[in-house]
């Protein structure tokens, strides 16, 4: 089972990479369409993005299929890994990085299904690939769980919830980057600013309650294992920082003058905090120091 | 012009109104102003970001362990340890309470302001929410039906009473209630999930509940992170009269491949007034709970079982001494008191063979005056050999282990969990159960038919468009069907 997990991981990474290549060509064809349109050649646009000819749509379509395949393979890898280890596949940086990438792909395709903005994939998939590349560099051996992690139910639920939250935040980050990359009026070939604003908001609406749940489950676990629900452990604190930033974002968005660019900047800061929370245990020590890299 | 206006104002206000003169109004307006500031979303936003920034500092800058900053000697030692890292900034950062940010003035001040803003905003929103839910505006004016994000105008050949009845039925089927107001034109208001707006308030109030729980914990809870017990030893349970806890055995196991710890287990027995109540294994993730007091597995180490007798052979002290501290050179050190003699005894065990004073299999006994801390005598003793020091016989019986438990009693925890549940439920409802509101306007037409317009300000994203379209289709079909029957 451990071997199967590894094969699925490699295949899933490859598939995701090919999907990204597809998205790059898809976006390039959008640029070409923009140039053609500027030159006065009639170009039709569709719901699915820019449609210059049959080729463009089909590249985007295949990229999506490959991405879905990558998502499925990574999911399979996590399942095999869970069977091999006997607990949720979230106990060290190797397992958790694959799970994070899996969460990003899941969140991204959830939004691609609804909003049909493939250009977002151009930003979301590299984040997933970076995590997969990172996973390939850390030890993948199956080790027994250290005593603090020996709580299968909480380990699985606490971290699975984190995956959903982090995946959504990545999509919001991609949307915010695209939002800031264009003028208020929008730029041809990129998703409309209103749509990006909408996607960012929806992603936080999904992710924020999950982050809340992650923190609460973490507090519950801390109470069971360490005897206190809150102790300003660096990882606890970093997750609270993230929670406050996205909380501020949700309030900012209903305020005049904070909509749009400022809100998008908050999403970028929030994602930086998410990464700090995720990688934090590697450098700031504390009770979450069981990355398997010690 | 400006001058003119000002003069006029002055003239008009030359005689102050009776109420304004006595200062009461001044206090009122100051309070009002404070209220206005506290309920402002902008303040809440700035406070949230400030809180995030401060706590972020706490994760990036090394934090002093609890208790260090209260002890001047420990503090200067600790500061010396981090000085190479922070250089000249060390004292400035210390002065600014950056090394104890989570108990600093800054965090407390911002936390208090945030709590005040939270309470103010929540209270402030209650009347508005109540109006939205209980006394919604039914007549919204004709322009709304042309400019709202979702709007549809329909004409029917049926009289308005019929259409009203049918429309009501369709909306009821979709879970909406109907309110109406008839002033010649029938104004209609339909809504669904009308209790949902309260959920946002519940979520905000939940944070207040959590803070209250934390406050209760810090006021009435207690916590001892260094409750040590050697194998075979018994100790009183704090805060529970007549209760004791005994460590029967401690076991630590490691992975044979990489030496990673696999399990720490303390087998303990709890007794009440001498009668054993329960025996349980305490592990990380498996605490022992008794009468509201919880014991958590925290750390462990070696212990020395020592017996001390007086000249008549009566036992002065017997038990395991946890060797929980490390002396310079790596020796393990523990302590126990001999109150009748006015002495404090330290037990030193060697971990290597380097110490010329203590050989493996020996421990050193160091005696100090309990009141002054002056050293009295120091002597190494062999295992199993009774050795007389200062009139008492000391025997190092055997090596053992001790367990370090963290003992806690936090009456605020249930309140915190209640707050957490409210928070999650509040969020879930706030974000996934939208309050749907649709307005309608029904008028009779000269030809005996009627016209119905419905409109709403739903968000484009939340699937409301589709629901609105379905409602329109259903109304048309239902009216047509009613006409046929």
């Amino acid at each position: 089972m451990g071997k199967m997990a590894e094969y699925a991981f490699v295949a899933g990474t490859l598939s995701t990479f090919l999907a990204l290549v597809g998205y790059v060509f898809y976006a390039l064809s959008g640029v070409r369409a923009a140039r053609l349109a500027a030159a006065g050649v009639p170009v039709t646009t569709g719901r699915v993005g820019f449609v210059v000819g049959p080729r463009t749509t089909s590249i985007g379509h295949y990229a999506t299929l490959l991405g879905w395949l990558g998502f499925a393979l990574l999911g399979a890898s996590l399942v095999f890994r869970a069977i091999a280890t006997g607990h949720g596949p979230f106990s060290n940086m190797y397992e958790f990085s694959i799970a994070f990438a899996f969460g990003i792909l899941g969140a991204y395709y959830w939004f691609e299904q609804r909003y049909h903005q493939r250009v977002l994939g151009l930003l979301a998939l590299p984040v997933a690939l970076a995590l997969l590349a990172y996973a390939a560099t850390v030890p993948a051996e199956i080790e027994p769980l250290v005593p603090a992690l020996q709580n299968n139910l909480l380990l699985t639920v606490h971290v699975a919830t984190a995956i959903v939250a982090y995946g959504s935040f990545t999509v919001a980050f991609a949307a915010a980057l695209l939002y800031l990359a264009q003028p208020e009026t929008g730029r041809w070939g990129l998703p409309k600013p209103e749509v990006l604003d909408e996607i960012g908001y929806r992603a936080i609406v999904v992710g924020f309650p999950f982050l809340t749940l992650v923190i609460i489950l973490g507090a519950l676990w801390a109470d069971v294992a360490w005897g206190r629900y809150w102790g300003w452990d660096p990882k606890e604190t970093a997750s609270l920082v993230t929670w406050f930033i996205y909380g501020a974002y949700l309030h900012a968005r209903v305020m005049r003058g904070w909509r749009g660019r400022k809100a998008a900047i908050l999403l970028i800061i929030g994602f930086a905090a998410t990464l700090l929370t995720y990688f934090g245990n590697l450098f700031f020590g504390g009770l979450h120091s069981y990355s398997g890299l010690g | 012009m400006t001058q003119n206006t000002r003069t006029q104002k002055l003239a008009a206000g030359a005689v102050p109104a009776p109420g304004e003169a006595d200062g009461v109004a001044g206090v009122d307006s100051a309070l009002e102003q404070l209220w206005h500031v506290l309920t402002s979303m902008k303040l809440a936003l700035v406070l949230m970001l400030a809180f995030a920034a401060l706590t972020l500092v706490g994760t990036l800058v090394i934090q002093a362990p609890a208790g260090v900053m209260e002890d001047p000697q420990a503090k200067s030692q600790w500061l010396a340890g981090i000085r190479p890292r922070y250089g000249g900034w060390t004292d400035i950062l210390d002065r600014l309470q950056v090394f104890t940010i989570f108990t600093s003035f800054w965090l407390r001040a911002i936390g208090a302001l945030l709590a005040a803003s939270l309470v103010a905003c929540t209270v402030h929103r209650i009347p508005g929410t109540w109006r939205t839910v209980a006394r919604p505006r039914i007549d919204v004016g004709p322009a709304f039906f042309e400019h709202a994000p979702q709007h549809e105008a329909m004409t029917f050949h049926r009289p308005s009473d019929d259409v009203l009845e049918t429309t009501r039925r369709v909306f009821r089927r979709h879970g909406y209630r109907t309110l109406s107001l008839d002033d010649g034109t029938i104004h209609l208001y339909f809504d669904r999930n009308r209790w949902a707006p309260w959920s946002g308030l519940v979520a905000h109030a939940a944070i207040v509940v959590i803070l209250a729980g934390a406050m209760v914990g810090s006021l009435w809870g207690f916590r001892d992170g260094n409750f040590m017990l050697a194998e075979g030893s018994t100790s009183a349970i704090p805060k529970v009269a007549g209760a004791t806890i005994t460590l029967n055995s401690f076991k630590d196991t490691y992975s044979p491949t990489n030496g990673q710890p696999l399990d720490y287990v303390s087998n303990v027995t709890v007794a009440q007034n001498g009668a054993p109540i329960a025996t349980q294994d305490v592990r990380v993730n498996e605490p022992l709970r008794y009468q509201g007091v919880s014991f958590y597995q925290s750390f462990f180490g070696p212990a020395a079982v020592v017996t001390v007798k007086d000249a008549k052979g009566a036992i002065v002290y017997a038990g395991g001494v946890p060797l929980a501290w490390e002396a310079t050179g790596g020796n393990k050190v523990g302590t126990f008191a001999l109150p009748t003699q006015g002495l404090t005894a330290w037990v030193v065990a060697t971990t290597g063979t380097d110490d010329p004073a203590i050989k493996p299999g020996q421990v050193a006994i160091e005696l100090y005056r309990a009141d002054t801390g002056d050293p009295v005598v120091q002597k190494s003793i062999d295992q199993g050999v009774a050795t007389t020091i200062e009139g008492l016989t000391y025997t190092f019986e055997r090596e053992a282990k001790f367990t370090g438990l963290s003992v806690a009693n936090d009456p605020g925890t249930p309140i915190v969990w209640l707050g957490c549940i409210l928070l999650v439920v509040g969020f879930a409802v706030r974000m996934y159960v939208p309050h749907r509101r649709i307005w309608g306007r029904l008028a009779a037409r000269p030809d005996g038919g009627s016209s119905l317009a419905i409109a709403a300000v739903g968000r484009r994203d939340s699937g409301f468009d589709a629901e609105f379209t379905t409602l329109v289709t259903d109304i048309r079909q239902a009216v047509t069907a009613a006409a046929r029957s």
Side-chain angles (χ1 to χ4, degrees):
Chain A
M1 276 302 169
K3 269 267 160 291
M4 297 270 280
E6 231 165 289
Y7 294 145
F9 162 62
V10 172
T13 308
L14 205 66
S15 184
T16 310
F17 178 73
L18 290 175
L20 178 62
V21 172
Y23 284 116
V24 169
F25 278 104
Y26 175 77
L28 285 178
S29 73
V31 175
R32 189 168 65 101
R35 207 176 296 138
L36 288 175
V41 180
V43 177
T44 49
T45 55
R47 210 159 85 97
V48 184
F50 8 77
V51 182
V52 203
R55 193 170 150 262
T56 311
T57 12
S58 61
I59 285 183
H61 186 65
Y62 286 127
T64 300
L65 282 181
L66 280 167
W68 272 109
L69 184 65
F71 175 68
L73 284 167
L74 291 180
S77 166
L78 290 172
V79 169
F80 290 142
R81 183 85 181 180
I83 295 171
T85 57
H87 53 76
F90 311 121
S91 70
N92 56 27
M93 282 315 252
Y94 172 77
E95 293 174 351
F96 192 39
S97 296
I98 300 177
F100 191 171
F102 174 75
I104 292 173
L105 289 177
Y108 169 70
Y109 282 109
W110 198 80
F111 281 96
E112 200 197 274
Q113 280 282 303
R114 270 156 194 79
Y115 290 90
H116 311 283
Q117 301 298 343
R118 287 206 173 95
V119 183
L120 267 186
L122 209 55
L123 294 171
L125 262 59
V127 181
L129 276 170
L131 283 162
L132 292 171
Y134 173 71
T137 65
V138 298
E141 283 77 36
I142 295 171
E143 302 286 3
L145 288 178
V146 297
L149 289 182
Q150 289 168 12
N151 190 324
N152 208 347
L153 178 70
L154 275 171
L155 171 70
T156 309
V157 182
H158 174 58
V159 188
T161 329
I163 299 295
V164 179
Y166 291 5
S168 315
F169 295 159
T170 311
V171 172
F173 164 72
L177 269 188
L178 275 184
Y179 185 97
L180 292 174
Q182 51 184 325
E184 298 283 335
T185 46
R187 177 170 288 156
W188 217 90
L190 290 180
K192 287 198 186 72
E194 315 84 90
V195 176
L196 290 169
D197 184 60
E198 194 72 56
I199 291 176
Y201 175 69
R202 296 306 303 175
I204 301 307
V205 164
V206 173
F208 191 67
F210 274 92
L211 179 65
T212 311
L213 210 53
V214 173
I215 296 176
I216 291 174
L217 287 167
L220 192 68
W221 195 355
D223 190 50
V224 168
W226 303 321
R228 83 285 180 293
Y229 54 84
W230 194 264
W232 296 109
D233 175 70
K235 192 121 173 161
E236 286 174 357
T237 311
S239 67
L240 189 70
V241 171
T242 313
W243 191 80
F244 267 103
I245 293 172
Y246 285 121
Y249 165 82
L250 285 174
H251 287 85
R253 221 174 151 282
V254 297
M255 270 168 67
R256 202 184 295 271
W258 273 81
R259 254 169 259 174
R261 293 195 99 70
K262 279 189 192 164
I265 290 168
L266 277 180
L267 284 182
I268 308 247
I269 298 174
F271 188 65
T274 306
L275 287 182
L276 179 78
T277 312
Y278 177 74
F279 285 110
N281 46 340
L282 296 184
F283 61 88
F284 47 46
L287 289 163
H288 278 83
S289 320
Y290 21 67
S291 52
L293 304 181
Chain B
M1 172 73 196
T2 322
Q3 194 65 40
N4 232 347
T5 331
R6 217 166 127 206
T7 325
Q8 273 171 4
K9 254 192 196 158
L10 268 178
V15 183
E20 281 171 12
D22 55 21
V24 174
V27 173
D28 261 1
S29 76
L31 276 180
E32 249 168 51
Q33 218 151 17
L34 178 69
W35 183 251
H36 186 73
V37 170
L38 275 181
T39 52
S40 107
M41 183 91 95
K42 197 161 190 172
L43 177 78
L45 193 66
V46 169
L47 286 174
M48 272 190 263
L49 291 175
F51 196 88
L54 267 187
T55 45
L56 181 66
V57 169
T59 66
L60 299 179
V61 177
I62 191 165
Q63 295 292 300
V68 164
M69 287 307 192
E70 282 83 67
D71 179 355
Q73 200 190 338
K75 180 178 171 176
S76 64
Q77 213 168 9
W78 187 82
L79 286 179
I82 57 157
R83 209 171 287 276
R85 197 160 150 193
Y86 294 101
W89 287 97
T90 312
D91 293 311
I92 301 168
L93 292 176
D94 174 44
R95 200 72 53 81
L96 290 173
Q97 306 184 344
V98 171
F99 297 125
T100 48
I101 200 97
F102 301 121
T103 51
S104 69
F105 167 77
W106 314 112
L107 199 81
R108 287 193 175 151
I110 290 187
L113 279 176
L114 199 55
S117 152
L118 184 63
V119 171
C121 287
T122 309
V123 171
H124 187 65
R125 275 171 53 193
I126 290 175
T129 308
W130 169 253
R131 267 198 305 278
T132 311
V133 171
R135 300 190 203 293
R137 209 171 134 196
I138 296 172
D139 176 6
V140 285
F144 180 75
F145 296 91
E146 283 159 37
H147 302 297
Q150 289 91 7
H151 61 265
E152 184 76 27
M154 296 167 262
T155 46
F156 300 109
H157 295 297
R158 306 284 302 169
S160 55
D161 305 0
D162 277 19
V163 173
L164 176 61
E165 189 43 46
T166 312
T167 309
R168 242 182 226 280
R169 215 171 45 237
V170 169
F171 271 102
R172 193 181 308 129
R173 205 168 63 229
H174 284 269
Y176 285 78
R177 73 166 167 168
T178 305
L179 298 178
S180 60
L181 188 76
D182 194 345
D183 60 359
T185 307
I186 302 174
H187 305 280
L188 294 162
Y189 172 83
F190 313 94
D191 72 350
R192 190 159 71 85
N193 303 332
R194 67 174 180 277
W195 39 267
W198 290 110
S199 60
L201 289 179
V202 168
H204 284 84
I207 299 172
V208 180
V209 173
I210 292 174
L211 290 176
M215 194 85 96
V216 167
S218 71
L219 286 179
W220 294 294
F222 88 93
R223 184 179 168 79
D224 176 5
N226 286 307
F227 187 87
M228 288 178 288
L229 205 54
E231 283 176 310
S233 295
T234 300
S235 179
I237 295 180
K239 307 276 169 185
V240 186
T244 56
I245 181 167
T246 306
L247 177 66
N248 305 316
S249 65
F250 179 84
K251 223 166 103 191
D252 47 326
T253 43
Y254 300 88
S255 157
T257 52
N258 65 357
Q260 241 189 35
L262 290 181
D263 203 6
Y264 315 129
V265 206
S266 304
N267 183 271
V268 297
T269 298
V270 169
Q272 183 72 53
N273 303 323
I277 304 261
T279 296
Q280 191 196 315
D281 282 342
V282 177
R283 288 187 164 84
V284 185
N285 277 310
E286 274 177 40
L288 161 76
R289 297 184 202 270
Y290 180 69
Q291 301 270 317
V293 178
S294 305
F295 294 84
Y296 304 87
Q297 183 63 55
S298 183
F299 58 102
F300 63 92
V305 179
V306 175
T307 312
V308 184
K309 290 177 181 166
D310 64 13
K312 291 175 203 139
I315 290 176
V316 180
Y317 177 88
V321 181
L323 304 174
W325 292 273
E326 199 157 299
T328 40
N331 284 344
K332 297 281 187 185
V333 182
T335 184
F336 63 96
L338 296 165
T340 48
Q341 271 68 33
L343 293 173
T344 305
W346 286 82
V347 182
V348 186
T350 177
T351 45
T353 50
D354 293 345
D355 198 320
I358 316 162
K359 297 181 191 68
Q362 283 190 326
V363 295
I365 301 286
E366 296 176 4
L367 297 177
Y368 297 85
R369 293 248 150 264
D371 44 2
T372 58
D374 292 336
V376 177
V377 71
Q378 168 175 358
K379 190 162 189 178
S380 296
I381 59 175
D382 288 311
Q383 186 173 348
V385 180
T387 310
T388 306
I389 308 168
E390 296 278 301
L392 295 179
T393 330
Y394 294 79
T395 314
F396 167 36
E397 308 281 358
R398 61 182 187 280
E399 283 179 40
K401 284 173 179 160
F402 81 87
T403 187
L405 301 173
S406 151
V407 189
N409 163 274
D410 187 343
T413 309
I415 304 174
V416 170
W417 296 147
L418 173 72
C420 288
I421 292 170
L422 288 177
L423 185 64
V424 171
V425 171
F427 269 151
V429 173
R430 173 75 184 78
M431 289 174 170
Y432 303 116
V433 185
H435 181 210
R436 301 287 200 215
R437 294 187 291 168
I438 298 175
W439 284 266
R441 191 178 170 82
L442 180 62
R445 287 158 57 85
D447 62 1
S450 56
S451 63
L452 170 70
I454 62 170
V457 278
R459 300 181 57 87
R460 195 160 46 84
D461 49 293
S462 47
F464 183 60
D465 272 345
E467 187 173 332
F468 191 84
T469 314
T470 311
L471 277 164
V472 168
T473 317
D474 283 7
I475 293 168
R476 281 190 208 260
Q477 277 174 356
V479 174
T480 318
R484 258 192 231 117
S485 62

